[in-house]
Amino acid sequence: MKNNFKILTLSILSLVGVSSCTDLEIEETDSIISDGFQGLADPSSTVTNLYGSIAGQYADQGNFFALQEVTSDEHLIPTRGGDWGDNGLWRVLHTHDWDGQHAFITNVFQQWNGNQLQASQVLDSRSNPSTTNIGDASFIRAYSMWVILDNFGQVPYRDTELPSSSVPEVLTGQAALDFILADIDMAIANAPATSAGSGEANLRASKAAARYLKAKVLLNKHIYLGTAPEASDMAEVISLVDEITAEGYALQEGYFDLFLPDADTETIWALEANTINKIVMGLHYNSTSIQGGGWNGFSTLAEFYDLFEGDSESNELDADQNPVDGQEERRGGVPTIGTAFAGQPYASDNNGFVDGSNVGYGFLINQQYDLDGTPLQDRQGAPLTFKRDFKDGAGNVNFINNDETTGIRIQKYAARNGEASISHQIVFRYADAHLMKAEAMFRSGGDPTAMINELRTIRNTQELLGTVSEQDILDERGRELYQEAWRRNDLIRFGQFGRDWLFKAEGTINNDDYNVFPIPQAQLLANPNLVQNPGY
């Protein structure tokens, strides 16, 4: 702080000295004194660039994805020797020991507020936005502001009609919600009606995507206000999902096929986002040759894996990719041999096998196999067996000093689909809307058992539920939506983000302060309207 003050003082003195010695003329375009933003010459290009920016933010295994998933019971990254240490960057997210200097927290605050500002520039009347521009930009601004509200509890908003030097106002609570919901309504009015199964049209805002976002905001509204859920909000969530259903969106069989680029009835909004990071981030170095091998990082807790039907100690598939351990479809499995190459879509030939087809879908545990069925080994020559527990070299449960094989791994975007399928990442999916409606029914006194069982039936579970509790709904959301960046949000809404789990720091257990992240220190210094969140 003292050094920053000294630099600032010297800079001011330097400017004073210059002005006293010359007739300094400052160009009208100088950002310090300009009237501010004057409009975009090509708002359509800015919209295209915005979608590209969000795609990049979704493709990253760090930043936004890490804050939503690694902070939960769904993902953790143990330190394996010298790998994934990174000065505790990943560990503190899972233990809830983060602070305002954490790189991912800082990046998310900057990135999503940057999205919001660019969207505001498109919406400025001086940019002469088209109806399509307005639909896209209002959707992106609403979504970006909601991400900031959900993660930080307060949203800085810069009015593009004010000078660039003006300090952004900060919206919280009802004011933030009113702004976001007004933008969503603008998106519903201006975005196109995109029917289910229209494929690439889902890469942009649509009325269905905007209705989904509005349902998501209303379902979480009481969290931001610190109140109980309102019956009127839950009724609107149900109505919004019904409107999405009326456009032809529906649950579809073939769970893992949903994550291919093919058109389907479940994808409401997808991005041209690279999925390769999601494929290799958990695989062992020797799991596949695709992209030069895995990164051997991301794993899941055994307690999350145990939410799924099937043998807790095994998750194997036969040669025809059928489950042999009683596991439900969504849990996937480990093939004991690769699939013969026969020109399958998105696949490439590797000596007669589909490249990467030795890697399973879903959750990978125990012995892993090569394409020809040979048991794989780790780099030390030991069997490559992914394990439920995280233990160090002495056999003690530990977050550090793990070997290369600890932790069950997750594959939702699969290696077998190779390079051709890496440009399609789902953001909004109808199964989530279906579960939001079921939750809204439950929270307003209804019985969503039939809705939950409808989903379980189409996912080929072996048991249907007789009744549905709040825990049942949360568990079903976990089984359906894992690795889709919803787990933190769900745990908070169900009051379980603070519960104890493996390696959680003792002082953070049952501490609701951690439901939002700290405002980065640099942002507090730049904007006095921001106030640090409690507990930080």
Side-chain angles (χ1 to χ4, degrees):
M1 286 294 292
K2 289 182 179 179
N3 289 337
N4 291 338
F5 180 77
K6 183 177 180 181
I7 293 169
L8 179 61
T9 304
L10 289 173
S11 299
I12 293 171
L13 289 174
S14 298
L15 285 173
V16 171
V18 169
S19 64
S20 64
C21 298
T22 68
D23 293 327
L24 180 64
E25 293 184 5
I26 302 178
E27 297 289 338
E28 290 183 2
T29 55
D30 191 304
S31 63
I32 296 176
I33 65 167
S34 89
D35 291 334
F37 175 73
Q38 299 299 316
L40 296 170
D42 187 358
S44 295
S45 292
T46 300
V47 168
T48 298
N49 291 338
L50 265 171
Y51 279 114
S53 294
I54 295 173
Q57 290 155 19
Y58 257 85
D60 190 354
Q61 78 284 355
N63 296 318
F64 177 75
F65 182 85
L67 294 194
Q68 311 318 307
E69 296 284 15
V70 184
T71 60
S72 78
D73 58 348
E74 187 179 303
H75 277 294
L76 77 164
I77 302 98
T79 301
R80 309 178 195 280
D83 294 343
W84 295 95
D86 298 329
N87 296 315
L89 180 73
W90 301 94
R91 291 196 303 273
V92 298
L93 293 182
H94 186 74
T95 61
H96 289 198
D97 270 334
W98 57 72
D99 60 27
Q101 305 300 317
H102 196 285
F104 295 163
I105 293 172
T106 298
N107 291 343
V108 167
F109 194 91
Q110 292 174 340
Q111 289 171 349
W112 292 86
N113 278 309
N115 297 342
Q116 174 217 136
L117 176 58
Q118 289 186 66
S120 292
Q121 291 175 338
V122 173
L123 292 168
D124 191 298
S125 61
R126 292 166 295 179
S127 298
N128 296 314
S130 66
T131 298
T132 301
N133 294 155
I134 292 171
D136 283 319
S138 56
F139 172 76
I140 290 172
R141 185 168 71 176
Y143 181 52
S144 299
M145 292 181 76
W146 176 70
V147 166
I148 294 297
L149 178 65
D150 188 63
N151 283 270
F152 297 94
Q154 44 190 309
V155 186
Y157 169 69
R158 182 183 294 281
D159 188 336
T160 56
E161 295 186 0
L162 295 178
S164 299
S165 57
S166 63
V167 176
E169 65 177 308
V170 173
L171 306 175
T172 61
Q174 190 65 56
L177 288 165
D178 289 345
F179 196 108
I180 292 167
L181 291 168
D183 263 2
I184 296 175
D185 287 339
M186 192 188 307
I188 293 172
N190 290 277
T194 305
S195 60
S198 55
E200 295 307 301
N202 294 109
L203 297 174
R204 294 284 182 125
S206 66
K207 293 187 188 302
R211 288 179 176 125
Y212 169 105
L213 179 58
K214 188 173 186 179
K216 183 70 73 172
V217 172
L218 291 173
L219 194 67
N220 288 277
K221 176 182 170 182
H222 64 284
I223 299 297
Y224 314 131
L225 299 180
T227 61
E230 294 184 15
S232 59
D233 290 331
M234 299 302 102
E236 190 167 2
V237 170
I238 293 169
S239 178
L240 287 162
V241 175
D242 287 343
E243 290 180 80
I244 295 171
T245 306
E247 292 190 67
Y249 294 91
L251 299 175
Q252 180 172 306
E253 294 181 348
Y255 183 68
F256 292 106
D257 290 342
L258 296 171
F259 303 95
L260 292 170
D262 302 328
D264 60 71
T265 61
E266 283 210 26
T267 301
I268 297 173
W269 181 36
L271 291 165
E272 288 185 298
N274 191 320
T275 62
I276 197 66
N277 289 16
K278 303 299 194 308
I279 294 173
V280 299
M281 66 189 190
L283 295 181
H284 186 268
Y285 315 104
N286 297 339
S287 293
T288 178
S289 61
I290 291 175
Q291 288 288 304
W295 298 347
N296 207 37
F298 283 62
S299 306
T300 192
L301 293 177
E303 68 176 66
F304 187 80
Y305 168 78
D306 287 342
L307 291 176
F308 295 79
E309 287 181 352
D311 187 336
S312 62
E313 300 300 328
S314 184
N315 200 42
E316 193 172 292
L317 302 175
D318 65 19
D320 295 321
Q321 309 296 308
N322 297 311
V324 298
D325 290 317
Q327 67 265 42
E328 61 178 271
E329 180 184 15
R330 294 174 295 193
R331 204 175 82 171
V334 177
T336 56
I337 193 170
T339 302
F341 181 75
Q344 293 93 331
Y346 313 114
S348 57
D349 186 5
N350 186 336
N351 294 318
F353 293 97
V354 172
D355 199 11
S357 61
N358 59 305
V359 178
Y361 285 104
F363 292 78
L364 311 183
I365 188 173
N366 297 337
Q367 180 66 56
Q368 306 297 298
Y369 298 88
D370 208 343
L371 286 167
D372 63 1
T374 302
L376 287 169
Q377 297 178 330
D378 67 16
R379 293 183 299 179
Q380 284 70 46
L384 181 55
T385 53
F386 296 142
K387 301 174 177 65
R388 291 172 59 91
D389 300 322
F390 299 89
K391 294 182 178 180
D392 59 23
N396 301 313
V397 175
N398 207 329
F399 214 152
I400 62 174
N401 297 326
N402 279 234
D403 69 21
E404 295 182 0
T405 65
T406 59
I408 302 166
R409 314 303 172 87
I410 301 179
Q411 286 283 283
K412 204 158 196 178
Y413 295 94
R416 70 186 58 225
N417 301 318
E419 304 291 336
S421 66
I422 63 174
S423 60
H424 178 85
Q425 191 159 164
I426 292 177
V427 187
F428 295 168
R429 190 156 63 85
Y430 182 77
D432 187 3
H434 182 87
L435 288 169
M436 285 196 286
K437 177 180 176 179
E439 182 181 339
M441 289 175 61
F442 180 85
R443 296 193 186 282
S444 53
D447 182 6
T449 303
M451 288 193 69
I452 300 296
N453 282 335
E454 180 184 358
L455 177 63
R456 291 179 61 79
T457 297
I458 207 165
R459 299 297 183 236
N460 295 311
T461 59
Q462 296 188 24
E463 296 182 8
L464 299 182
L465 303 179
T467 59
V468 168
S469 66
E470 185 175 77
Q471 187 65 51
D472 290 327
I473 297 172
L474 175 62
D475 290 348
E476 198 65 32
R477 289 189 62 81
R479 288 185 285 265
E480 180 68 25
L481 299 166
Y482 66 88
Q483 212 174 56
E484 294 182 49
W486 292 119
R487 189 59 174 174
R488 170 190 163 274
N489 176 267
D490 286 346
L491 288 174
I492 290 171
R493 194 171 63 257
F494 283 83
Q496 295 193 30
F497 193 57
R499 69 172 172 79
D500 194 10
W501 56 60
L502 184 66
F503 303 129
K504 175 77 77 71
E506 184 175 349
T508 69
I509 297 170
N510 298 322
N511 188 337
D512 289 343
D513 288 345
Y514 294 90
N515 286 356
V516 292
F517 296 106
I519 306 298
Q521 188 64 31
Q523 301 296 331
L524 291 171
L525 293 172
N527 186 348
N529 292 327
L530 289 165
V531 178
Q532 186 56 277
N533 286 319
Y536 298 108

